Amino acid sequence: VSNARRDLDKPRWLTKKQQAAWRELLGVVIWLPAVLDAQLQRDADISHFEYQVLAMLSTAPERTTHMHELAVRTNSSASRLSHAVARLEKQGWISRAPAPENGRYIRATLTDSGMAKVVDSAPGHVAAVRRNVFDHLSTKQVAQLEEIARTIRNVVAPHTE
Amino acid sequence: VSNARRDLDKPRWLTKKQQAAWRELLGVVIWLPAVLDAQLQRDADISHFEYQVLAMLSTAPERTTHMHELAVRTNSSASRLSHAVARLEKQGWISRAPAPENGRYIRATLTDSGMAKVVDSAPGHVAAVRRNVFDHLSTKQVAQLEEIARTIRNVVAPHTE
DNA sequence: TAAGATTGAATCCTCAATCTTG
DNA sequence: CAAGATTGAGGATTCAATCTTA
C-alpha cells in the first residue's frame, strides 16, 4: 500500500519550469543527433551509429570487442548490430571471428583500414561536437551538464556504468 | 584571414571535463529516446515520433497545423511526415485537406478519435518523463538544464524559437 | 535448455523524382 | 519556376523465427 500511496502523492503533470526544461531538452535530444548524423554522412559517408561502433572498437584492447558488449554499449539490438557490422565488414573495416575461449561469443575487430577510417573522420566529428555544444557553454555549465546528464543516464542506462 | 586565424586558435580536441560531459550527454541522447519510445510502443502502440505529431496537433488552434510547420517542428523531412501522417490517417486519428486560403498548403487536423488517443496515452508518457528525468533533479538543476539545453537547442535548431 | 548471434520478412526512413499550386 | 507535398524505390531497423554453442 505504501507504493500506491507514494504514487498518488506524486504530481500527475509537470510544473511550468519542468515543462520549459523538457521542451528544450527534447529539442536537444531530437536535433543534436540529426546534426551530428548529417555531418558524418556528408563528410565521412557513415551514420552516427556506424561511427560509434568504429570509434568504440578503436579504443578497445586489441581493437576488439564481443558483439554482445558492443550491442549493449551502443544501445543496439543484437539484430541491428549484426546487420550493421555485416555492412561494415563488407567495407573491410571490421572482421569477425568466434572467440577462442567460448565459441558462442563473436569477436569484432577493427581492421587497419577501419582504424584509418576512424582517424580520418574523428577530427571533423569532434569539431562538430565542439561547434554545436561546448563552444557555447561556460566551464561551470559543463560541470553542471555532466552532473545532470550523468543523473539521467544512470536512470535510463544504468548498465553503461 | 581572421576567420582562419580564429579556427587555428581553437583546440582540436575536447578537454577532460568536456569529454566526461560529452560521454554522459551522448548517453542521454541515445538512451532517453529509446526508453520513451519503448514505453509508448508498449502502452500505446505508437512511436515517439507519432506521439509528437498527435500531441502537437492536440494543442494547436482548431487541432490543426499545416504539414510544413508540423515537419519543421518535429525535425522531420516532408517525406517522413507524409508517410507517417498517411499511416495515422489510415488509423482514423488525423484527416488532411488543402488549406482554403492557399491550396498548396495541406492542413492536418486531429480527429476526435485522435484526440482520444492523445488523452489516453499522455499520462503514461508524462509519467515516464517524470520517472526518467525530473524525479531525480533538484529545482536548481532543472533551471540549469533549461538554460544549457536552450543554448544547445538554439545552435542545432534555431528556427524552433 | 538458455545465451549469443544471425537471418529474412515486414515496416519505417531516406533520397530522388514527380505532382500541384501560386 | 519555386514552394509545398506526395510517391515509389532502395536502405536501415524491427520483429519473429532459426541456428549454434555451452
Side-chain angles (χ1 to χ4, degrees), chain B residues 76-121:
Chain B
S76 165
S77 65
S79 172
R80 179 190 187 188
L81 181 65
S82 191
H83 285 298
V85 170
R87 292 192 296 271
L88 295 173
E89 194 173 33
K90 198 182 301 183
Q91 299 266 2
W93 294 331
I94 288 182
S95 67
R96 276 181 291 188
E101 76 278 12
N102 186 332
R104 70 180 171 188
Y105 287 94
I106 301 287
R107 294 157 43 99
T109 301
L110 196 66
T111 64
D112 289 347
S113 161
M115 191 65 194
K117 181 68 180 175
V118 173
V119 170
D120 225 46
S121 47

